[in-house]
Amino acid sequence: MVIIVAALILGAILGVFIFIPGHPTSGHSKSIHSSANSNKASKIYSKDEVTLHNRRDDCWIIIKNKVYDVTSYVEEHPGGDAILAHAGDDSTEGFYGPQHATRVFDMIDDFYIGDLKQLSLAANEL
């Protein structure tokens, strides 16, 4: 009986460590903040404008014709530099790949800065 009670107590303690967010041991918290506008006012960006933001220290991506400034997230990206493969370009296919957990779909909205300018049909035919 004592062993069962001890196992339950130990299980509860371990459960607390697993389900409660951890605190950094270094004494300071590292947080990820979007550099996107907090008012979510939609701005229109051309593909040429987005293409200019293709570096680690200035990284924009396009996902389903929406533009995201993920510069502040590049260093935190669990996939390392994979996020830079499409910096300044369309990342839709990679974003919806099997490597991403479902939480990424909630996180991405924090980095939204506007929409991609859509070319008119006449411009596409030229």
Side-chain angles (χ1 to χ4, degrees):
M1 180 72 172
V2 174
I3 294 174
I4 294 173
V5 172
L8 288 174
I9 292 172
L10 183 59
I13 292 171
L14 290 175
V16 169
F17 287 116
I18 292 171
F19 293 111
I20 294 180
H23 299 283
T25 57
S26 64
H28 66 284
S29 176
K30 203 180 216 186
S31 62
I32 302 167
H33 295 286
S34 166
S35 50
N37 295 334
S38 59
N39 63 3
K40 300 286 185 185
S42 186
K43 184 172 179 192
I44 306 297
Y45 295 97
S46 71
K47 177 75 165 93
D48 290 340
E49 286 176 284
V50 175
T51 301
L52 298 173
H53 303 273
N54 61 359
R55 300 182 322 269
R56 175 181 302 281
D57 62 341
D58 185 14
C59 183
W60 291 12
I61 58 173
I62 301 165
I63 301 171
K64 287 193 168 185
N65 295 319
K66 293 187 181 290
V67 180
Y68 300 89
D69 180 350
V70 294
T71 305
S72 63
Y73 185 66
V74 169
E75 295 299 324
E76 304 298 324
H77 186 251
D81 287 348
I83 195 170
L84 298 172
H86 296 287
D89 202 359
D90 194 308
S91 293
T92 303
E93 188 175 330
F95 180 76
Y96 286 100
Q99 74 281 4
H100 284 142
T102 55
R103 70 182 178 93
V104 75
F105 304 115
D106 296 327
M107 289 175 50
I108 195 65
D109 289 337
D110 293 340
F111 300 96
Y112 173 78
I113 57 171
D115 294 317
L116 185 65
K117 181 179 181 181
Q118 298 300 304
L119 298 175
S120 68
L121 230 188
N124 284 334
E125 294 173 354
L126 293 177

